[in-house]
Amino acid sequence: MVFSFFKKQPQQMPKRPAAQPRAQEPVVPPFSPPPAPEALSEPLPDLEFTVTPLPKPVAAQPAAPPVAAAAKPLPRSPEPNDDLDFTISQFERDFTDSSVMAINVEHDLDPAQGEVERIVLLFANRQDAAARSVLETLIRHYQGSEGRRFWMLLFDLLQVIGDRPAFEQLGIEFAEACETSPPAWREAVGEALATTTLSGVFTLQGVLTAEDLKSVANIAGVLAKRQPVRIDCSRLIGCDDEVAGQLAAMLAQARREGVAVAVDGVEAFLVRLNERLQTGTASHEPAWLLLLELLQRYAAQDAFEERAVDYAITFERSPPSWESSPIVRGTPPARPPVLDDAHFLHGDLRDQRFTELSAALAQVELPVIDFSGVSRMDFFSASQLANCLTPLKAAGREVVIRSPHHLVAELMALVGLNKVARIIVPKS
């Protein structure tokens, strides 16, 4: 049985190779991909339809389509370049139209104008030594009318800084170089601002700041001697808190002591001062005290009491009380004749917004701003003045700016004030 069993084994051995279909299992690569091509075989007619044009571009036109595709963007690329060139040229034209920008692309620009603007800005920024050094060089470099322009700037600079010996020496050099008479030294206008030829008559005008305390002190000095005083405020536009406090104390003291003080033309200033002070805003207390003092002198008691209550609410303290006028000793001097209706500015105009000036000019038929007493003006104030006068120009009103010296006049032109006002510079 065992032998016969060995015989059966060779017969069964061929059965194992018959089990080779397992070798076909590794050939199982029919994954799912084979069914996919079978599914694709159905849309083959469609694929063949789309493939028929494909071999043509692939075989013969592979280079032609890319060239055409590259040729299409090529004409588009120069177009943006052309537009860019146009916008750049337009930008340059707009930029060079304004000399104020001090950025000039044109090669034939007058270099003297650039020097003038540089000097004017140095002076406006209080860099007097640098401005003087540049001017002393330029008066020897430029000849003719251009050179005379720099001479006038240097004369005004020496006038402002108060260097009279250098001014006189420069006049000698100017006469030799230009063969004409030099300008004369001008006495400071601001020092005589609050006095006139009549004794005891004073004029307050423009916008008074801390630099004008000397003018108030001159009035207080006369009142301290118990002498009658007349103060013309018809051209007074406004004042800061320090000046307001000094005026309020001076007038109150004179009223209590019975010294005669006549304040002329104060009505317009009183209206502006009253509108400026708002109830509940705890600021400008000296201006409040000046308002109450003027109301006590030139208004009814009811108007005084009303604003006194507003003062108490705003500052939470007792206001000044209404006082009956004491007996006044003496008679104020006669009123001097009015020369003109110009609004006078003076001193060093720094960080000014001219809010009160615009309201005052709107009430005048021919607005005139006198700059004869202005020693210097910074760039910000000049720009604000231009903004202040622009509405008047738009309304067809002509504004005259009178007697600025050359450094201030050149700054006005730099910010465009000459486009909204007529600037009259005194002849040298």
Side-chain angles (χ1 to χ4, degrees), residues 208-247:
L208 303 181
T209 63
E211 298 180 355
D212 305 305
L213 290 177
K214 184 177 179 180
S215 302
V216 181
N218 292 338
I219 304 175
V222 176
L223 292 175
K225 300 175 184 178
R226 299 182 181 275
Q227 297 178 2
V229 166
R230 179 178 294 277
I231 306 174
D232 181 10
C233 295
S234 59
R235 288 174 287 183
L236 179 60
I237 298 175
C239 61
D240 64 9
D241 289 342
E242 189 170 1
V243 174
Q246 295 287 339
L247 288 174

Side-chain angles (χ1 to χ4, degrees), residues 257-391:
E257 295 180 355
V259 182
V261 178
V263 183
D264 300 328
V266 74
E267 294 79 11
F269 171 73
L270 186 57
V271 170
R272 289 193 294 270
L273 183 62
N274 187 46
E275 294 175 350
R276 172 190 172 195
L277 303 177
Q278 302 296 325
T279 305
T281 304
S283 60
H284 308 299
E285 184 175 5
W288 276 91
L289 296 175
L290 178 59
L291 173 65
L292 294 175
E293 177 62 29
L294 293 176
L295 289 175
Q296 184 152 210
R297 284 175 171 270
Y298 305 105
Q301 184 174 356
D302 293 342
F304 173 87
E305 296 293 349
E306 181 180 354
R307 291 305 269 165
V309 172
D310 295 339
Y311 173 88
I313 295 174
T314 301
F315 297 99
E316 299 180 354
R317 63 170 64 106
S318 299
S321 58
W322 177 270
E323 299 176 2
S324 58
S325 301
I327 299 175
V328 177
R329 296 185 294 271
T331 303
R335 181 179 301 177
V338 179
L339 299 179
D340 57 26
D341 295 331
H343 296 275
F344 289 78
L345 301 178
H346 54 276
D348 189 346
L349 301 182
R350 185 186 312 178
D351 299 330
Q352 295 291 323
R353 297 184 180 275
F354 303 103
T355 53
E356 296 176 337
L357 176 63
S358 58
L361 294 178
Q363 302 174 1
V364 183
E365 182 178 357
L366 178 60
V368 178
I369 308 174
D370 191 286
F371 263 74
S372 58
V374 175
S375 58
R376 190 193 309 263
M377 180 168 59
D378 62 4
F379 189 89
F380 175 82
S381 300
S383 302
Q384 291 297 315
L385 182 59
N387 295 336
C388 171
L389 301 183
T390 299

Side-chain angles (χ1 to χ4, degrees), residues 46-291:
D46 296 336
L47 290 174
E48 290 176 357
F49 175 79
T50 57
V51 168
T52 50
L54 286 176
K56 293 180 181 178
V58 170
Q61 298 178 351
V67 170
K72 291 180 180 179
L74 284 175
R76 294 179 182 176
S77 58
E79 292 177 2
N81 289 336
D82 295 339
D83 296 340
L84 182 61
D85 293 339
F86 173 77
T87 56
I88 289 177
S89 60
Q90 182 65 34
F91 174 79
E92 290 175 351
R93 286 195 295 271
D94 294 341
F95 230 131
T96 54
D97 285 343
S98 176
S99 61
V100 178
M101 298 302 297
I103 301 176
N104 299 295
V105 182
E106 298 177 358
H107 298 288
D108 56 349
L109 177 71
D110 182 11
Q113 178 61 32
E115 296 292 352
V116 169
E117 294 179 1
R118 180 161 68 106
I119 294 165
V120 165
L121 291 177
L122 287 174
F123 175 75
N125 294 329
R126 293 165 180 80
Q127 300 180 24
D128 296 337
R132 180 174 180 176
S133 176
V134 174
L135 282 171
E136 290 175 346
T137 302
L138 292 175
I139 60 174
R140 291 164 177 80
H141 178 73
Y142 285 92
Q143 304 295 329
S145 60
E146 291 181 349
R148 193 174 187 278
R149 188 180 183 188
F150 293 113
W151 282 96
M152 294 300 104
L153 293 175
L154 183 54
F155 275 120
D156 285 338
L157 176 60
L158 295 176
Q159 175 82 49
V160 170
I161 64 180
D163 194 346
R164 186 164 188 172
F167 185 95
E168 301 293 346
Q169 179 61 34
L170 184 67
I172 298 174
E173 298 177 8
F174 174 81
E176 295 176 354
C178 301
E179 298 180 352
T180 184
S181 300
W185 179 269
R186 303 183 305 272
E187 297 297 334
V189 180
E191 295 179 359
L193 174 67
T195 61
T196 66
T197 56
L198 298 177
S199 176
V201 179
F202 299 87
T203 300
L204 297 179
Q205 55 193 11
V207 180
L208 303 181
T209 63
E211 298 180 355
D212 305 305
L213 290 177
K214 184 177 179 180
S215 302
V216 181
N218 292 338
I219 304 175
V222 176
L223 292 175
K225 300 175 184 178
R226 299 182 181 275
Q227 297 178 2
V229 166
R230 179 178 294 277
I231 306 174
D232 181 10
C233 295
S234 59
R235 288 174 287 183
L236 179 60
I237 298 175
C239 61
D240 64 9
D241 289 342
E242 189 170 1
V243 174
Q246 295 287 339
L247 288 174
M250 178 186 69
L251 293 175
Q253 183 68 20
R255 179 172 50 81
R256 296 188 184 100
E257 295 180 355
V259 182
V261 178
V263 183
D264 300 328
V266 74
E267 294 79 11
F269 171 73
L270 186 57
V271 170
R272 289 193 294 270
L273 183 62
N274 187 46
E275 294 175 350
R276 172 190 172 195
L277 303 177
Q278 302 296 325
T279 305
T281 304
S283 60
H284 308 299
E285 184 175 5
W288 276 91
L289 296 175
L290 178 59
L291 173 65

